[in-house]
């Protein structure tokens, strides 16, 4: 698993790649052409960065007809986060769930 | 057909069969999620999840049930989404690991950010449970 984490950290250690992730976060499912419009670099360079992000599983692609769409995959980042700080996520969710039920019960 | 709003991928050290059961069986889901799923898994049948206090959470209908590869159902979080969306789970064996892809279609814009925040938590807890036998649930 650590080799995978190395890939994630390596992929994130570059401003252009973080910018690409920001663009996908703002609008998911973009083509290479759309992403190039935001970047001051050649299409080949953008394509290379995307391949690296894909290798780190931070970007996943989906074929929509003849178009290859790129999606932000936050799962590897969440896994890293879960390792150190989010162990209590599920109990927090459960607490939120109970709060919601309680508030809805009071509304009635 | 419209493109998905989100596509999530995770790799889990497990078997496709075990992952399939984790996604489709109520008590299995309770090991890593705060709700259990219920369905007869016949085409068109209801797919629902219930929280511990029996409150209906997800509500939908079976679209495709092809174990252990492809699962699709309509998806609506009660009290949150005004209209139904659609989820597709694809399971692919890759050596000693299994690749799980979730594509989520047709989410109303107002609910996208909330749902985008939820799936990574679901995936991460599912992965932990399958790989270590324990979900991220903390007792008490």
């Amino acid at each position: 698993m650590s080799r995978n984490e190395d890939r994630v950290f390596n992929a994130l250690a570059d401003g252009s790649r973080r910018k690409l992730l920001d663009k996908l976060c703002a609008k998911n499912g973009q083509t290479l052409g759309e992403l190039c419009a935001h970047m001051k670099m050649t299409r080949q360079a953008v394509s290379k960065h995307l391949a690296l992000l894909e290798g780190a599983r931070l970007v996943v692609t989906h074929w929509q007809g003849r178009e290859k769409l790129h999606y932000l995959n936050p799962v590897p980042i969440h896994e890293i986060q879960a390792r150190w700080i989010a162990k209590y996520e599920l109990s927090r969710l459960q607490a939120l769930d109970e709060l919601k039920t309680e508030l809805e019960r009071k509304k009635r | 057909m419209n493109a998905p709003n989100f596509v999530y991928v995770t790799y889990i050290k497990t078997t496709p069969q075990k992952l399939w059961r984790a996604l489709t069986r109520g008590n299995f889901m309770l090991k890593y999620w705060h709700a259990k799923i219920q369905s007869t898994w016949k085409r068109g049948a209801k797919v629902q999840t219930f929280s511990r206090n029996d409150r209906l959470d997800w509500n939908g209908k079976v679209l495709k049930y092809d174990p252990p590869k492809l699962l699709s159902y309509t998806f609506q979080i009660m009290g949150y989404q005004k209209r139904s969306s659609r989820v597709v789970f694809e399971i692919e064996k890759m050596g000693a690991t299994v690749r799980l892809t979730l594509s989520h279609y047709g989410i109303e814009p107002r609910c996208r950010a909330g749902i985008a925040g939820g799936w990574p938590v679901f995936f991460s807890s599912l992965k932990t449970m399958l790989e270590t036998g324990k979900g991220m649930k903390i007792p008490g």
Side-chain angles (χ1 to χ4, degrees), chain A residues 3-73:
Chain A
R3 246 186 76 209
N4 238 335
E5 270 180 18
D6 287 348
R7 281 198 206 114
V8 174
F9 284 111
N10 181 39
L12 291 173
D14 177 274
S16 303
R17 288 196 288 273
R18 291 196 298 273
K19 188 174 175 188
L20 282 168
L21 295 179
D22 285 338
K23 293 300 165 194
L24 290 178
C25 189
K27 184 177 179 264
N28 227 341
Q30 297 190 57
T31 59
L32 173 61
E34 282 176 274
L35 286 167
C36 282
H38 306 293
M39 309 297 287
K40 287 187 188 120
M41 54 174 75
T42 63
R43 196 181 168 90
Q44 284 82 350
V46 175
S47 178
K48 253 185 159 172
H49 282 308
L50 281 174
L52 214 136
L53 287 166
E54 262 189 77
R57 300 163 185 174
L58 291 167
V59 165
V60 293
T61 56
H62 173 92
W63 282 96
Q64 185 73 16
R66 292 174 60 187
E67 278 189 330
K68 189 183 186 186
L69 305 179
H70 299 80
Y71 285 83
L72 171 66
N73 183 38

Side-chain angles (χ1 to χ4, degrees), chain A residues 97 100, chain B residues 33-36 47-51 54-60 75-81:
Chain A
D97 203 57
K100 186 169 183 258
Chain B
W33 197 235
H34 57 100
K36 64 173 173 184
V47 180
Q48 298 179 314
T49 68
F50 295 92
S51 325
D54 284 331
R55 190 169 54 77
L56 177 62
D57 193 15
W58 303 353
N59 193 25
F75 179 96
Q76 185 173 11
I77 301 175
M78 300 311 281
Y80 183 54
Q81 285 173 280

Side-chain angles (χ1 to χ4, degrees), chain A residues 57 64 71 73 79 90 97, chain B residues 1 4 9-11 55 127:
Chain A
R57 300 163 185 174
Q64 185 73 16
Y71 285 83
N73 183 38
E79 280 160 9
L90 198 58
D97 203 57
Chain B
M1 200 171 77
V9 172
T10 192
Y11 292 74
R55 190 169 54 77
K127 181 183 164 82

Side-chain angles (χ1 to χ4, degrees), chain B residues 32-101:
Chain B
Y32 64 93
W33 197 235
H34 57 100
K36 64 173 173 184
I37 198 158
Q38 276 180 15
S39 179
T40 61
W41 298 111
K42 299 216 162 63
R43 203 182 164 152
K46 281 181 191 166
V47 180
Q48 298 179 314
T49 68
F50 295 92
S51 325
R52 278 164 205 279
N53 47 32
D54 284 331
R55 190 169 54 77
L56 177 62
D57 193 15
W58 303 353
N59 193 25
K61 282 186 176 155
V62 181
L63 298 170
K64 278 178 195 149
Y65 183 83
D66 180 13
K69 285 183 298 198
L70 182 68
L71 178 68
S72 174
Y73 48 88
T74 61
F75 179 96
Q76 185 173 11
I77 301 175
M78 300 311 281
Y80 183 54
Q81 285 173 280
K82 290 210 176 79
R83 54 188 173 84
S84 199
S85 55
R86 179 166 58 97
V87 290
V88 180
F89 294 91
E90 289 163 277
I91 296 173
E92 206 182 328
K93 190 170 159 47
M94 305 190 86
T97 60
V98 174
R99 177 186 158 110
L100 171 64
T101 307

